[in-house]
Amino acid sequence: MKDERKNETTPKELFSIQKQANLNNITQNVKPKNLFQLMAVNPLPPGLSSDIVKPCKVWAGRMIPLTGNVYYSKIVLPQSNIKTNLLAKIASIAATAGKNPNISNAMLNRNWTNAQNQMGIPANPMIDPCRIRLRAGKKNNRIEAEWHFGGYNQGYVMMIRDNSASGNKSARLTRNDHNYAVAHTGTNSRSGIDLYSERHAQNPGRILLNSANDVTIITTNNNRSEAWDAHTKLLGEGARWNFVRGNVTRIKEDTYIGTWGNNGVVQNPGIQFRHLWCCWGSVFNKKFGISNAVVRNELLNRNPWITSNNQNVGLVANTNLQNDNIMV
């Protein structure tokens, strides 16, 4: 009996047909409906092949959802059972992706391809809003995380999977709960997926890795949400600042980041980690893989720092600096 399925068009073939149609539209001076199929550029670092690419939701603005691509990496080394190794490795690869010149340019200037197409904003179309999903580890100790590169939620971790978790093994960012609340619901009852807010929780004084490890025990919804939020701090901020990846086992929200002056004394006492990430755009121009030397230069030469919300963060003396600090 003849297998009729052999005559069906596969999803991969449909994607190629649509892509060629969009190319034909361009040559005929017809504006395509989806530039992502024309302009898509794989943002994964060289040598890190992608085994799955599929459409996903991205955002040019808070209320402007678009269609983009999500790029899935294959499992990357280390094939480790040690969670700190996995978190640091994935964050380092995300840092490399964020330093892609096209992504870096679009992050700073908001000239994403789809932003030009959908919003009519003049732009130099270099790369589309997109997501990348990175994963590492062995089957039962695997960590996965998905970064968003687009006009809104820039560099945000949109999804996390931790195979060591009890109950739900994964969580996603909820864009419906803009402000983090103490009573934040940890699980979407309809989907059964744990949720975390796009605003970081506040739990000063506790090592972030310990909070992240709460996913391995049965906890309240709020505690589970904070546990996933701690993952985003280690992964998301670890992709932005190199020193975070080197201090996964001890960094806290209120850890002071300081530096030594040329005469061997503390030049500026430092800035708390929870204030540092608020200055990512205003001080560090939304860069990824920020070196210790760059942070040191800012600590030595900038005071106060201005957050992205135009709030002053002064570098003031603090007695905790000598016993709860990371020196760069």
Side-chain angles (χ1 to χ4, degrees):
M1 180 175 172
K2 183 178 178 181
D3 187 355
E4 297 294 333
R5 290 177 297 178
K6 291 183 178 180
N7 295 324
E8 294 179 0
T9 304
T10 67
K12 184 176 181 180
E13 289 170 337
L14 285 172
F15 185 88
S16 296
I17 292 170
Q18 183 60 53
K19 183 175 181 180
Q20 185 59 51
N22 282 341
L23 287 169
N24 292 339
N25 282 343
I26 288 292
T27 59
Q28 297 170 17
N29 294 319
V30 177
K31 187 176 181 180
K33 292 183 178 180
N34 262 326
L35 277 180
F36 90 92
Q37 292 176 334
L38 170 69
M39 298 295 298
V41 177
N42 193 330
L44 292 172
L48 186 65
S49 60
S50 176
D51 56 357
I52 304 174
V53 179
K54 70 177 184 179
C56 69
K57 183 181 289 186
V58 293
W59 294 272
R62 176 160 179 79
M63 304 303 294
I64 307 175
L66 304 172
T67 300
N69 278 342
V70 57
Y71 298 84
Y72 293 73
S73 74
K74 293 182 179 179
I75 304 299
V76 297
L77 294 176
Q79 299 296 326
S80 173
N81 289 325
I82 303 174
K83 187 170 183 175
T84 52
N85 293 349
L86 303 180
L87 292 169
K89 182 63 177 181
I90 293 174
S92 71
I93 296 173
T96 302
K99 289 192 287 187
N100 175 307
N102 290 337
I103 287 182
S104 181
N105 179 280
M107 291 277 282
L108 182 61
N109 298 307
R110 295 182 178 271
N111 55 345
W112 299 93
T113 306
N114 269 332
Q116 180 187 23
N117 183 38
Q118 300 286 339
M119 301 168 63
I121 297 175
N124 179 21
M126 299 294 289
I127 194 167
D128 299 332
C130 59
R131 299 191 195 188
I132 63 168
R133 182 176 293 189
L134 305 170
R135 51 262 187 99
K138 296 181 179 179
K139 183 176 181 180
N140 294 324
N141 290 278
R142 187 168 298 160
I143 299 288
E144 297 185 18
E146 188 173 291
W147 275 260
H148 180 265
F149 293 106
Y152 189 75
N153 287 147
Q154 298 191 67
Y156 273 47
V157 177
M158 308 299 291
M159 184 284 302
I160 305 164
R161 182 173 178 84
D162 184 341
N163 280 14
S164 69
S166 64
N168 295 323
K169 302 295 184 183
S170 62
R172 63 177 174 81
L173 180 145
T174 171
R175 300 178 69 252
N176 295 325
D177 183 11
H178 191 61
N179 293 304
Y180 195 95
V182 174
H184 178 72
T185 300
T187 302
N188 182 327
S189 59
R190 183 172 61 181
S191 67
I193 298 174
D194 284 352
L195 303 175
Y196 56 89
S197 172
E198 61 183 6
R199 295 288 181 90
H200 281 325
Q202 296 294 319
N203 190 7
R206 192 171 190 218
I207 294 174
L208 287 171
L209 181 62
N210 292 344
S211 294
N213 285 337
D214 279 350
V215 297
T216 64
I217 60 177
I218 301 298
T219 59
T220 66
N221 278 346
N222 185 58
N223 287 341
R224 286 187 68 82
S225 182
E226 288 194 11
W228 291 117
D229 181 73
H231 281 76
T232 72
K233 292 168 185 167
L234 295 172
L235 288 166
E237 313 309 336
R240 295 172 179 178
W241 286 282
N242 294 349
F243 76 83
V244 177
R245 300 198 301 275
N247 292 277
V248 169
T249 60
R250 67 188 189 96
I251 194 167
K252 307 172 186 176
E253 293 170 17
D254 49 356
T255 294
Y256 275 79
I257 316 305
T259 193
W260 298 104
N262 294 329
N263 58 358
V265 299
V266 178
Q267 179 72 25
N268 273 319
I271 183 171
Q272 285 188 309
F273 184 41
R274 60 182 172 181
H275 294 149
L276 176 75
W277 68 58
C278 296
C279 300
W280 178 58
S282 55
V283 174
F284 296 96
N285 295 320
K286 303 175 184 177
K287 299 293 185 181
F288 281 77
I290 299 166
S291 70
N292 289 5
V294 170
V295 180
R296 172 183 165 85
N297 181 68
E298 296 296 342
L299 287 170
L300 291 174
N301 297 292
R302 185 190 298 263
N303 191 359
W305 289 21
I306 308 298
T307 71
S308 298
N309 293 326
N310 294 317
Q311 301 294 315
N312 284 0
V313 179
L315 305 183
V316 296
N318 188 283
T319 55
N320 290 330
L321 182 62
Q322 299 306 319
N323 54 30
D324 185 12
N325 67 80
I326 294 172
M327 304 301 282
V328 294

